[in-house]
Amino acid sequence: MRVLVYGAGVIGSYLTHVLKRGGNDVTVLARGNRAEELEKGGLVIRHYFQRKTTVDRIRVIRTLDTDDNYDLIFVVMKYTDFSAVLPILANNKSQNIVIIGNNTNAHDMQDYLNEHSDIPKNIAFGFQTSAGSRENGRIVCIRGGGGQMVLGGLEDPIPFKADLDQVFSKTKYKLIYHEYIDAWLKNHIVPIIALNFVTVIHERQMKKIARDDKLLRQMIAAMDEGFRVLEALGYPLTPAAQASLIRKRPALMRLIMKIYHILPISRLVDGSIGEIVALSRVFHLWKEQTRIPTPNWDALEVRFNAKLS
């Protein structure tokens, strides 16, 4: 199948690798230095747990023109970059689009594409459960197995599900279809924001975070508060096991967080401060709507903002 991966960061690069190795006709859209790296040296990925490095030769484009037609477009970028990409997608003739990444306003994005496109768009949203960083022209990818993505449509089942199944059919990559992807994405940002608050507070000194028991307790309590805000807004807690672990087994969750921050992989996970700031602003609006008390969240947010000022 003819596939475009729009974005060549950590997540988009691994997705491109999977699709290419799955026998698809894959193009990646990249710009600037990243486009030059891909053209000169190929897509180089160091698979951290698998202890191997792969190199794929990939077709690279820098712009998506109106008449460029792909069977599937995977848009993989930071939350703060989506708004600039939506008009380009609306003007393009490709119909099947998967928007991947942290996302608080999937409905608004879908509405924009439907209102500004001359042809009907089929849109799904998802999140690839892998992480990593960029270093010296290559990607360091942290994942389990062949990788996986949680995805779904907002109102109805994804109309191009058969195409998605086909494009990954010759890979070990796992697709997990979720009937309420908007709620899943909103639930996901609660621990993501809280974790990044703590990372910035201790200036990415991961072992210092592991030793700060008081801060870890506060972070876990803040996550619980975040889930209470979502419940007040009418969103189910999904995956339910995540919220249950945080609420019912805080000591175990604290131990998991201690171990994570001790391990070297915690230092290899890149985080965009700009993205976290934008996500936390949206979450602040949700808190104002619900008036749910969030003392632990608020305290972390104050310390996070103080570090950025």
Side-chain angles (χ1 to χ4, degrees):
M1 297 186 73
R2 194 160 187 260
V3 182
L4 173 67
V5 178
Y6 199 129
V10 171
I11 304 301
S13 292
Y14 181 66
L15 181 60
T16 300
H17 163 78
V18 169
L19 293 167
K20 177 71 173 179
R21 295 292 174 107
N24 298 286
D25 179 6
V26 184
T27 300
V28 63
L29 192 150
R31 297 191 177 94
N33 292 336
R34 184 58 178 149
E36 293 177 6
E37 288 174 353
L38 293 169
E39 288 172 336
K40 292 178 181 177
L43 175 58
V44 184
I45 300 180
R46 174 61 180 168
H47 304 265
Y48 184 80
F49 289 128
Q50 292 74 20
R51 296 174 178 262
K52 66 178 183 179
T53 298
T54 57
V55 181
D56 298 293
R57 290 292 171 181
I58 300 291
R59 184 186 305 111
V60 180
I61 61 173
R62 288 168 171 77
T63 58
L64 178 63
D65 295 330
T66 300
D67 293 330
D68 292 342
N69 195 8
Y70 295 91
D71 297 310
L72 293 168
I73 296 180
F74 294 91
V75 185
V76 193
M77 46 189 55
K78 299 183 187 71
Y79 171 73
T80 46
D81 294 334
F82 283 134
S83 60
V85 174
L86 292 177
I88 298 170
L89 295 171
N91 288 330
N92 178 259
K93 68 184 346 179
S94 306
Q95 289 186 278
N96 300 327
I97 301 170
V98 184
I99 298 176
I100 301 167
N102 292 315
N103 201 331
T104 62
N105 58 339
H107 282 281
D108 291 342
M109 292 181 183
Q110 179 169 281
D111 290 345
Y112 180 94
L113 289 172
N114 287 331
E115 291 170 7
H116 293 83
S117 300
D118 292 333
I119 60 172
K121 299 288 189 185
N122 302 315
I123 306 159
F125 294 86
F127 191 91
Q128 181 172 286
T129 55
S130 62
S133 58
R134 287 175 57 177
E135 58 176 44
N136 301 321
R138 71 175 185 174
I139 298 295
V140 178
C141 179
I142 301 169
R143 61 180 170 82
Q148 67 178 29
M149 183 190 302
V150 180
L151 75 165
L154 293 184
E155 288 89 17
D156 304 305
I158 301 171
F160 54 99
K161 179 178 180 294
D163 294 322
L164 287 166
D165 290 338
Q166 180 182 339
V167 83
F168 290 102
S169 63
K170 296 180 181 179
T171 76
K172 295 181 180 180
Y173 193 92
K174 185 178 181 181
L175 297 178
I176 302 172
Y177 293 101
H178 199 288
E179 63 181 1
Y180 202 173
I181 191 63
D182 185 43
W184 191 98
L185 290 168
K186 286 180 167 65
N187 275 260
H188 177 74
I189 72 163
V190 169
I192 288 296
I193 296 174
L195 274 165
N196 278 275
F197 278 170
V198 168
T199 300
V200 170
I201 286 169
H202 275 324
E203 299 175 337
R204 293 191 61 83
Q205 298 180 56
M206 300 306 188
K207 290 185 179 180
K208 187 174 181 181
I209 296 171
R211 294 193 298 268
D212 193 337
D213 192 69
K214 180 179 179 181
L215 185 64
L216 290 176
R217 288 174 184 272
Q218 192 172 40
M219 179 185 73
I220 294 165
M223 291 179 186
D224 184 19
E225 293 167 357
F227 291 135
R228 294 184 189 282
V229 169
L230 292 182
E231 286 179 309
L233 289 170
Y235 293 104
L237 299 186
T238 179
Q242 172 183 252
S244 179
L245 175 63
I246 290 168
R247 287 180 165 176
K248 297 180 180 180
R249 305 290 299 277
L252 176 58
M253 184 65 184
R254 192 164 69 253
L255 176 61
I256 292 170
M257 289 292 96
K258 283 179 180 288
I259 294 171
Y260 167 73
H261 286 98
I262 289 171
L263 294 174
I265 61 168
S266 66
R267 296 190 293 275
L268 295 174
V269 178
D270 275 349
S272 166
I273 300 302
E275 182 177 42
I276 298 304
V277 169
L279 292 171
S280 65
R281 285 173 179 164
V282 174
F283 195 84
H284 191 82
L285 295 176
W286 295 347
K287 289 193 302 174
E288 289 183 340
Q289 290 177 43
T290 63
R291 299 184 182 277
I292 296 293
T294 56
N296 292 285
W297 187 287
D298 296 344
L300 290 178
E301 190 172 24
V302 167
R303 293 181 67 182
F304 170 79
N305 289 329
K307 284 291 183 179
L308 298 182
S309 61

